[in-house]
Amino acid sequence: MTLPSALLEALHASFAGDALSLAEAERLAYAYDNSRRNALPDAVVFPTTHEQTEALVRACRAHGVPLVARGRGTNTTGATVPVGGGVVASFERMNRILRIDPDNRLAVVEPGVLNGDLQQALKPHGFFWPPDPTSSPWCSIGGNLACNSAGPRTVKYGSPRENTLGMRAVAGTGEGFRCGTYTSKGSTGYDLTRLLIGSEGTLALITEATLKLTPKPSGLRTLRATYRDVGAAAHAVARIMAQPVTPCALEFIDDVALKLARDHGGDSVPLAGAMLMIEVDGEPDTLDGAVEAVSRAARGDGLDSLQVAQTAEETQALWSARKALSPAQRTISPNKINEDVVVPVSRLPELVDGIKRLAAKHDVLIVSFGHAGNGNLHVNLLPRDDAERERAHACLAEVFALVIRLDGTLSGEHGIGLVKREFMPLALQPSTLGLMRAVKAAFDPDGILNPGKLLP
Ligand SMILES: Cc1cc2nc3c(=O)[nH]c(=O)nc-3n(C[C@H](O)[C@H](O)[C@H](O)COP(=O)(O)OP(=O)(O)OC[C@H]3O[C@@H](n4cnc5c(N)ncnc54)[C@H](O)[C@@H]3O)c2cc1C
């Protein structure tokens, strides 16, 4: 697509100097994201104010040109790939922390602030923002909100949906608006804040966020439990979640993943049928009781070993298996298909059992691990050649069908983007999809915001 000259003029007027790039080399850098898909945008702009963002959306709308918001491009689903060309708005320079307000337990930030930078800034105040993707040093708050991204701590503290009070944004109409509150309670009309969270840049561009802060507990204990098989570990997850002490991490690793991690990470990784990594946090005088309660629930049929780390070095050693996993997978299959399905916790045993059967049926290497306390498993299909890649795609459709049968859903934290939208009709009724389309039309009547994503 060649941009209309009137649009180029409008872009030049709003984005002076290097805030607008038309050079092919730079456009190429914004063609990709972590999905490894790519499509070249026609222009890249770097907004630094809300007003500039409004002018940008209005100009793109006037010419019917696609506009794709971008944080740091770390998403896994192709959500920032500008499949229809047009303009990419990278929020990387709109990255100020505007206010940290411990009295009201909130922080106001621009969308380009990195998750890790925010956590560092909150530390001296004794607070944190709970959403904790592993990519935290590199991903932006705007991206976290737009994908509802999360990590291990979600089991206790929730995802961005539970940790965001309000926003300022610009709809696809070009109209700026505020939604939500600066208060910890609010019951004033529709909850547009939660609606924008997880909307993947298809409804509005977020220009400011008011985040709910949580006091950082001063104590943490780490436990590692190994089990005879994946079923025994999955049942233990359900027992742990059925008692009152909520762990702040409850991670599951299956036997295939453990073997892979051991091949790559060495003997410190245990050989077992499955493993749980468990963390509990709180004030130091409460921790012994919490560890005891969680340990009691972790014990049961099929438990092989249960260790509690006593020192920082032991904690690090216990996490070694989990840490060795990502590099290990990359050495096996550069074509990893990385899913993040989620089921109710009590149905985890059926999910892990079903995935084993599908891996055998399609003869595909699958490793499963992840945030079991939320029933959220990273199911990674690792095809090693073209034939296995074909089989992996057939297998994937059956994995999703299994998840839906178990009352689960397609994505727990990565979102839908480009790569999963064809599966949306599996998860949602036509009437639900119809309502989502109507919402999209209200925010973005001309369909200029991130076209080709999320909705089938
Ligand atoms: C090593 C690694 C580890 C990861 N670990 C995790 C994990 O543990 N948990 C997890 O959930 N994810 C994880 N991810 C995925 C990814 O980091 C998250 O999805 C992250 O939130 C994306 O942030 P980003 O700034 O890179 O956003 P981008 O990838 O740039 O954008 C993501 C989506 O947000 C939209 N968007 C961005 N900014 C705005 C804005 N201002 N307004 C409106 N829409 C916007 C984009 O259009 C796109 O749809 C990981 C990725 C990597 C590379």
Side-chain angles (χ1 to χ4, degrees):
M1 173 191 288
T2 316
L3 296 182
S5 56
L7 173 58
L8 277 173
E9 251 172 58
L11 293 180
H12 275 295
S14 296
F15 296 90
D18 69 356
L20 164 66
S21 181
L22 301 170
E24 185 170 352
E26 189 150 26
R27 287 188 285 130
L28 201 56
Y30 293 86
Y32 294 85
D33 60 25
N34 185 34
S35 69
R36 301 185 187 187
R37 311 260 179 134
N38 73 87
L40 200 62
D42 299 286
V44 183
V45 295
F46 301 92
T48 49
T49 68
H50 174 88
E51 292 67 26
Q52 226 178 359
T53 309
E54 280 185 345
L56 170 67
V57 181
R58 281 200 203 110
C60 286
R61 186 180 183 204
H63 298 279
V65 166
L67 175 56
V68 180
R70 183 179 172 105
R72 289 303 182 104
T74 65
N75 79 87
T76 61
T77 65
T80 49
V81 176
V83 284
V87 180
V88 164
S90 172
F91 284 95
E92 67 199 86
R93 297 183 194 170
M94 197 165 169
N95 61 356
R96 288 176 306 159
I97 296 173
L98 301 173
R99 182 171 147 204
I100 293 178
D101 183 349
D103 291 1
N104 291 306
R105 295 194 170 190
L106 63 82
V108 181
V109 302
E110 291 182 338
V113 172
L114 298 185
N115 180 305
D117 289 350
L118 175 65
Q119 308 295 0
Q120 285 303 327
L122 295 175
K123 247 187 203 164
H125 300 274
F127 282 84
F128 73 115
W129 189 54
D132 60 337
T134 319
S135 50
S136 126
W138 312 289
C139 63
S140 71
I141 300 295
N144 295 168
L145 297 176
C147 293
N148 198 29
S149 305
R153 284 196 295 238
T154 312
V155 61
K156 180 165 181 179
Y157 294 105
S159 68
R161 283 208 169 106
E162 288 76 41
N163 289 287
T164 307
L165 297 174
M167 276 180 206
R168 194 174 187 203
V170 181
T173 54
E175 223 171 342
F177 63 97
R178 285 186 184 274
C179 55
T181 60
Y182 293 104
T183 57
S184 56
K185 290 178 86 173
S187 184
T188 313
Y190 298 135
D191 189 346
L192 299 185
T193 307
R194 274 179 87 97
L195 177 62
L196 291 193
I197 296 174
S199 66
E200 303 184 8
T202 61
L203 300 180
L205 305 192
I206 300 161
T207 57
E208 188 184 293
T210 304
L211 307 175
K212 177 179 158 191
L213 304 182
T214 298
K216 187 139 183 83
S218 59
L220 182 77
R221 294 274 184 82
T222 303
L223 298 82
R224 180 167 90 182
T226 60
Y227 293 86
R228 180 186 60 219
D229 54 36
V230 288
H235 279 106
V237 170
R239 285 198 304 274
I240 293 169
M241 292 311 293
Q243 53 84 49
V245 176
T246 308
C248 64
L250 177 45
E251 299 286 299
F252 166 92
I253 304 180
D254 81 354
D255 53 336
V256 190
L258 278 176
K259 180 164 181 327
L260 205 61
R262 192 178 163 94
D263 291 347
H264 206 268
D267 293 349
S268 61
V269 177
L271 262 187
M275 186 171 102
L276 297 182
M277 291 298 307
I278 311 163
E279 286 195 332
V280 290
D281 64 2
E283 293 318 295
D285 56 353
T286 65
L287 283 182
D288 284 343
V291 167
E292 185 39 43
V294 169
S295 301
R296 240 190 336 266
R299 289 190 196 102
D301 183 39
L303 177 79
D304 283 340
S305 71
L306 180 64
Q307 285 171 277
V308 183
Q310 302 299 339
T311 62
E313 290 73 38
E314 281 180 30
T315 302
Q316 230 176 354
L318 292 190
W319 276 106
S320 61
R322 181 68 170 83
K323 295 242 156 72
L325 255 181
S326 287
Q329 290 181 89
R330 244 174 269 132
T331 58
I332 288 217
S333 172
N335 299 310
K336 174 174 95 162
I337 302 173
N338 174 2
E339 296 306 337
D340 71 314
V341 296
V342 50
V343 297
V345 171
S346 65
R347 318 242 19 206
L348 262 182
E350 291 165 83
L351 178 65
V352 293
D353 182 52
I355 286 170
K356 287 254 171 249
R357 276 187 286 105
L358 289 174
K361 175 180 167 190
H362 292 276
D363 189 18
V364 173
L365 180 65
I366 302 184
V367 302
S368 302
F369 58 93
H371 317 306
N374 291 106
N376 182 200
L377 276 201
H378 292 295
V379 176
N380 290 341
L381 294 79
L382 302 175
R384 288 152 291 187
D385 55 37
D386 287 349
E388 194 171 1
R389 198 177 322 161
E390 294 263 307
R391 296 198 301 277
H393 280 287
C395 180
L396 185 59
E398 288 197 51
V399 169
F400 286 142
L402 167 70
V403 165
I404 302 301
R405 271 203 310 282
L406 296 175
D407 289 341
T409 195
L410 302 178
S411 170
E413 56 183 26
H414 290 166
I416 301 300
L418 192 57
V419 300
K420 263 173 280 185
R421 69 185 193 126
E422 65 178 290
F423 297 105
M424 286 285 269
L426 261 183
L428 301 174
Q429 292 179 329
S431 53
T432 312
L433 279 172
L435 284 167
M436 286 192 180
R437 288 202 179 92
V439 168
K440 164 82 174 162
F443 275 84
D444 180 23
D446 298 321
I448 59 163
L449 294 186
N450 213 358
K453 312 295 166 58
L454 202 150
L455 289 173

